[in-house]
Amino acid sequence: MAKIGGSSTPAVRRDPYEVLSVSRDSSDQEIKTAYRKLALKYHPDKNVSNPEASELFKEVAYSYTILSDPEKRRQYDIAGFEAVETEGMDMEIDLSSLGTVNTMFAALFSKLGVPIKTTISAAVLEEALNGTVTIRPLPLGASVSGKVEKQCAHFFGVTINEQQAQAGIVVRVTSGSQSKFKLLYFEQEASGGYGLALQEDSEKTGKSTSAGMYFLHFQVYRMDSTVNALAMAKDPEAAFFKRLEGLQPCEVSELKAGTHIFAVYGDNFFKTATYTIEALCAKTFEDTTEKLKEIEAQILTKRNELRQFETEYRKALAHFQEVTNRYNQEKQSVDELLKQRDNIQSSFTMVRTLSNNVTGSSNSSKHPGEEFKTESPAEDGSSDGKDKSAKKKWFNLNLKSPDKKAG
């Protein structure tokens, strides 16, 4: 359940205590009261022709985001803005101050899954603060369905006794048509009106949208999806480690006996929001409540583990990148050495071929008849020469027989 407030960091930052005109030892209630007055004073609805008011409205909301959170306030008191600046402190958009074209762009981004926070109209806040809103009864265990116009709200009163307050209360809103809405919780003001204390934006769950507030006497957390979305846009690899960073503690963990005011605010861009709201006593859901308590504790533990694991992962990733770069360098080096080796080995064959070509050309320059001489009888009286000479004499024998002729 989100506290009211939360906007982008102003360009020129002033001390949040100075912005809200409160002292450093002011109580939470004093800070909340100061914020409500200034937020209404500078609300864009009431200052359409004054652009400076819009910037002051953002500055007031940003300052309240810091001082309304005990941990952020403590960090700021110690180390200033650097200690509290996070990607999750993003800007809210007031639909009433947008033109038609800008509203269409905002609707497109929202449809694409980019979370766009929107402020609640000043008219709704003022009517609640003045106590002029119509409050419908919402009995425990019952559900009420309706349609609320954009930038309008339906108010409901949930009355609980002491026993029900001790058991815990759950208020949930769902929309089967996936309407965009806010679930609001108002606190009773001394003036008799109601001041906005908590707000929960609808989230898509399956084929519907829903929002819930849980007052179960133990710390329950809400998930701010914008933190993860912004981390994804900045560094997709880091988005996983930021998924649980959007887990924010709900500021109110229990309700006292009496009547409590809730509202469903139409947050759609162009059409009415259809919804079903129901209030339940946790007495009949003891097992479910216990499971929620256990899983919340596990998620917190896991968030701490992820923070530590991210450090280990970053170191391992850097080492992996280092060895990968070395792998590529070593592979290139080996390939180059083998290439040089092949070139050198190939050069042997090239030299031999060139040598043979030179030898062949010198042989072809011999005079005619030299080859014949090599096959003629040897001049040095070799046996080969003698044999060939004897064969020649044998062929010159006179084979005629003088004796036969005489007879």
Side-chain angles (χ1 to χ4, degrees):
M1 291 171 282
K3 268 191 176 180
I4 50 178
S7 76
S8 62
T9 308
V12 179
R13 297 172 298 185
R14 289 193 297 155
D15 180 12
Y17 293 100
E18 177 187 345
V19 173
L20 298 181
S21 299
V22 294
S23 62
R24 288 186 172 269
D25 58 354
S26 295
S27 66
D28 292 343
Q29 186 59 46
E30 289 173 332
I31 291 173
K32 184 183 294 184
T33 300
Y35 166 74
R36 288 173 179 169
K37 290 180 180 179
L38 291 172
L40 280 176
K41 179 180 178 180
Y42 298 120
H43 198 289
D45 282 357
K46 303 177 67 176
N47 299 274
V48 178
S49 60
N50 184 6
E52 292 182 2
S54 178
E55 293 303 314
L56 289 171
F57 177 80
K58 295 176 185 177
E59 186 179 37
V60 166
Y62 175 67
S63 299
Y64 182 72
T65 300
I66 295 173
L67 300 186
S68 62
D69 186 315
E71 181 59 23
K72 285 189 175 73
R73 183 178 179 182
R74 183 188 66 81
Q75 292 175 348
Y76 173 79
D77 289 343
I78 295 174
F81 284 109
E82 292 184 0
V84 297
E85 285 180 347
T86 65
E87 293 174 339
M89 301 175 73
D90 50 273
M91 183 174 65
E92 292 187 346
I93 302 173
D94 178 29
L95 290 185
S96 62
S97 65
L98 293 177
T100 303
V101 175
N102 288 336
T103 303
M104 291 177 66
F105 275 113
L108 175 61
F109 281 119
S110 180
K111 191 172 183 179
L112 291 174
V114 179
I116 300 178
K117 288 187 174 182
T118 54
T119 59
I120 301 168
S121 71
V124 170
L125 296 176
E126 279 192 313
E127 287 179 5
L129 203 57
N130 295 332
T132 59
V133 294
T134 301
I135 299 176
R136 311 174 191 181
L138 178 61
L140 282 179
S143 63
V144 176
S145 299
K147 291 184 178 181
V148 59
E149 294 293 329
K150 58 183 181 180
Q151 300 177 56
C152 295
H154 288 173
F155 287 78
F156 298 91
V158 179
T159 303
I160 58 176
N161 57 36
E162 192 66 39
Q163 184 179 5
Q164 292 166 336
Q166 287 297 322
I169 303 298
V170 174
V171 177
R172 285 185 58 83
V173 181
T174 58
S175 173
S177 59
Q178 299 186 14
S179 296
K180 195 169 182 287
F181 59 86
K182 295 180 187 291
L183 173 60
L184 312 177
Y185 171 64
F186 290 82
E187 292 180 340
Q188 184 82 44
E189 294 288 326
S191 60
Y194 308 101
L196 179 62
L198 303 173
Q199 70 178 50
E200 183 76 18
D201 290 2
S202 59
E203 296 277 350
K204 187 175 180 181
T205 53
K207 296 183 179 181
S208 64
T209 51
S210 64
M213 292 185 179
Y214 307 87
F215 309 93
L216 303 171
H217 300 279
F218 60 84
Q219 187 62 71
V220 178
Y221 293 79
R222 58 177 293 274
M223 180 60 75
D224 186 354
S225 59
T226 58
V227 174
N228 187 251
L230 291 170
M232 175 67 78
K234 185 176 181 181
D235 183 2
E237 288 187 0
F240 167 72
F241 295 103
K242 301 300 182 185
R243 285 187 65 181
L244 299 183
E245 292 301 321
L247 209 64
Q248 304 293 332
C250 299
E251 294 78 8
V252 182
S253 60
E254 60 183 73
L255 299 179
K256 296 180 179 180
T259 299
H260 299 274
I261 307 302
F262 296 87
V264 180
Y265 179 80
D267 210 21
N268 272 10
F269 289 94
F270 300 111
K271 59 182 180 180
T272 59
T274 60
Y275 67 88
T276 298
I277 183 172
E278 56 185 340
L280 305 168
C281 178
K283 180 68 175 177
T284 56
F285 299 92
E286 291 183 357
D287 291 343
T288 305
T289 301
E290 198 59 34
K291 288 179 181 178
L292 178 61
K293 186 176 182 180
E294 292 176 3
I295 203 69
E296 292 279 24
Q298 291 179 27
I299 291 175
L300 284 181
T301 300
K302 181 59 67 176
R303 182 172 67 177
N304 293 332
E305 291 176 354
L306 280 182
R307 288 171 177 171
Q308 181 178 356
F309 176 55
E310 181 178 12
T311 302
E312 298 174 5
Y313 174 80
R314 293 297 179 190
K315 290 180 179 178
L317 190 63
H319 181 64
F320 172 76
Q321 190 63 50
E322 181 183 344
V323 296
T324 300
N325 291 339
R326 181 180 174 184
Y327 170 85
N328 292 329
Q329 292 172 359
E330 295 291 356
K331 182 177 181 300
Q332 184 178 358
S333 176
V334 169
D335 290 343
E336 183 62 30
L337 289 172
L338 291 175
K339 182 179 179 180
Q340 292 180 19
R341 175 177 176 272
D342 290 342
N343 290 338
I344 293 172
Q345 289 181 344
S346 297
S347 66
F348 282 100
T349 305
M350 293 174 62
V351 171
R352 183 181 179 185
T353 302
L354 181 62
S355 176
N356 288 341
N357 289 338
V358 172
T359 304
S361 61
S362 63
N363 289 338
S364 63
S365 64
K366 292 179 181 180
H367 295 290
E370 286 186 359
E371 292 180 2
F372 176 76
K373 285 182 178 181
T374 59
E375 294 178 3
S376 63
E379 293 180 357
D380 58 357
S382 64
S383 59
D384 288 343
K386 289 181 180 181
D387 292 340
K388 289 181 179 180
S389 178
K391 289 179 180 179
K392 186 175 181 182
K393 289 180 180 181
W394 182 81
F395 280 114
N396 289 331
L397 291 177
N398 188 0
L399 299 177
K400 291 181 180 182
S401 173
D403 293 341
K404 285 184 177 183
K405 190 174 181 180

